[in-house]
Amino acid sequence: MALGEFALIDQYFSRIGARRSDVLLGVGDDGAILAPPAGMDLVAVADMLVEGRHFPKGSPARSIGHRVLAVNLSDIAAMGATPAWALLSISMPAVDERWLAEFAAGFSALAEAHGVALVGGDTTAGPLTLNVQVMGFVPQGAGLRRAGGRPGDWLCVSGTLGDAAAALVLGDQASTALRARFEFPTPRLALGQRLQGLASSCIDVSDGLLGDLGKLAQASGCRAELELSSLPRSAALREAVSSGLCTPAQAEQFMLAGGDDYELLFTLPADLSGLQSEALRAAFASGEITRIGRLIEGDPSSIDLLVDGQRKAVQPEGYDHFRSISA
Ligand code: ADP
Ligand code: MG
């Protein structure tokens, strides 16, 4: 590599993200030394982005830097945890300093915004692939899980669905607002933390609503009932339909099965859902979260979709990497 591996790490990755007093030793040694707080459980996640599979070839480097951290922070959010430390491993075909500076800027801005320190990683030559691990904390026993939903619980989702999928499919025709949802997704960390002690189960929507709902239903041992008309759609997605860029049926498909939303999908015990919880009442009222269905007794392996009062059993068709590789 032109710049030299160590000079490169020093220049781009030794001083990015938040500074934290619990990082006793950061980038530059064989390993980081970290001081976990007492009374907390450690939550660890990892997620990898491969060029051509998770983002189109030629995607802006700043977006890739943001996304590779954001997808991990979304998993941390789904656990109800607060992020603290990240490790970043990069495989790249050549040293492109402009690309690296942009990538590091995208990563660093999001890391700083959420108090995440970059404490180590690995750098090697190879096809463009980014892997990040994040560690965070949750009070002992308070981590949110996919299991725990019960029949009668409300099924809720944050934000809006289908925007990132629309951006990918529409390509250059996609509005700036849709593109931003793919390129700079917002991990719902504050919401995840607020759901501690309230949500009975939680997952983040990364592979499409139906697929991730199928995982939550399976883990909770309940069947999910989803009301199509209640799915939250953004002004940008409505605009894409009303201007003829996509059909209403395509927009529904983006919301149900498109990936890369990075919203939280969670269940609330029915007695908690509406009025008891002041914090959540405001979130429902503002559209930060929306009720989209409920859990019911029954076979979790398919989902009941309610369309115009009709009940249809649908398969949880999430985006399946291995199925599409072999296709
Ligand atoms: P080793 O050979 O002992 O694994 P390296 O020489 O690969 O160590 O890495 C030196 C230091 O740089 C380590 O602290 C490592 O965690 C860190 N590092 C390497 N690549 C990255 C990266 N892309 N981002 C952040 N830290 C990195
Ligand atoms: Mg070593």
Side-chain angles (χ1 to χ4, degrees):
M1 295 195 157
L3 181 61
E5 183 186 331
F6 305 115
L8 180 161
I9 294 166
D10 183 53
Q11 181 159 350
Y12 294 102
F13 300 116
S14 63
R15 281 174 295 273
I16 67 175
R19 289 175 178 276
R20 296 180 61 103
S21 59
D22 56 9
V23 178
L24 307 181
L25 187 61
V27 170
D29 212 300
D30 291 310
I33 303 181
L34 308 167
M40 303 291 258
D41 289 335
L42 185 64
V43 175
V45 305
D47 231 321
M48 180 150 68
L49 298 186
V50 177
E51 183 183 55
R53 173 146 295 274
H54 302 96
F55 57 90
K57 212 172 157 57
S59 290
R62 191 176 286 253
S63 156
I64 299 170
H66 175 100
R67 285 189 80 232
V68 72
L69 181 58
V71 300
N72 279 279
L73 294 182
S74 180
D75 283 328
I76 289 279
M79 304 304 293
T82 303
W85 309 313
L87 296 161
L88 165 65
S89 296
I90 305 183
S91 156
M92 57 191 165
V95 174
D96 174 342
E97 292 204 47
R98 267 179 46 197
W99 190 95
L100 277 166
E102 281 291 297
F103 173 88
F107 186 100
S108 193
L110 186 62
E112 278 173 26
H114 293 290
V116 175
L118 180 63
V119 300
D122 199 16
T123 307
T124 179
L128 186 59
T129 301
L130 301 309
N131 179 67
V132 165
Q133 289 164 261
V134 175
M135 280 159 286
F137 315 117
V138 72
Q140 268 170 13
L144 302 176
R145 300 163 191 235
R146 296 175 180 185
R150 292 286 166 262
D153 286 1
W154 284 23
L155 186 61
C156 303
V157 73
S158 64
T160 58
L161 298 167
D163 301 312
L168 273 185
V169 169
L170 298 178
D172 290 345
Q173 290 185 294
S175 63
T176 317
L178 287 178
R179 253 206 308 268
R181 291 272 289 153
F182 176 79
E183 292 182 345
F184 296 95
T186 306
R188 304 298 184 189
L189 285 158
L191 175 63
Q193 288 156 36
R194 248 190 304 159
L195 292 177
Q196 271 175 30
L198 296 178
S200 47
S201 67
C202 186
I203 187 171
D204 74 318
V205 184
S206 53
D207 296 337
L209 177 65
L210 288 177
D212 291 320
L213 177 54
K215 293 176 193 166
L216 181 147
Q218 201 80 46
S220 292
C222 307
R223 190 174 178 89
E225 187 185 86
L226 196 61
E227 184 120 33
L228 181 64
S229 64
S230 68
L231 299 186
R233 73 175 79 190
S234 67
L237 187 59
R238 288 176 204 278
E239 169 65 23
V241 173
S242 62
S243 64
L245 282 177
C246 68
T247 66
Q250 273 179 305
E252 278 168 9
Q253 199 55 29
F254 297 151
M255 291 191 291
L256 287 169
D260 300 306
D261 295 302
Y262 300 107
E263 296 295 349
L264 296 184
L265 175 66
F266 55 96
T267 56
L268 295 173
D271 56 5
L272 236 175
S273 311
L275 303 173
Q276 265 93 331
S277 164
E278 197 54 42
L280 292 185
R281 193 191 325 184
F284 279 116
S286 68
E288 181 188 357
I289 60 178
T290 304
R291 183 188 177 192
I292 59 172
R294 58 181 183 141
L295 295 182
I296 57 178
E297 308 238 5
D299 175 9
S301 66
S302 57
I303 292 165
D304 280 348
L305 187 63
L306 303 182
V307 188
D308 300 330
Q310 306 274 77
R311 182 178 297 267
K312 292 202 273 190
V314 295
Q315 295 305 306
E317 286 159 338
Y319 181 66
D320 181 332
H321 292 282
F322 292 101
R323 201 171 54 204
S324 61
I325 284 171
S326 56

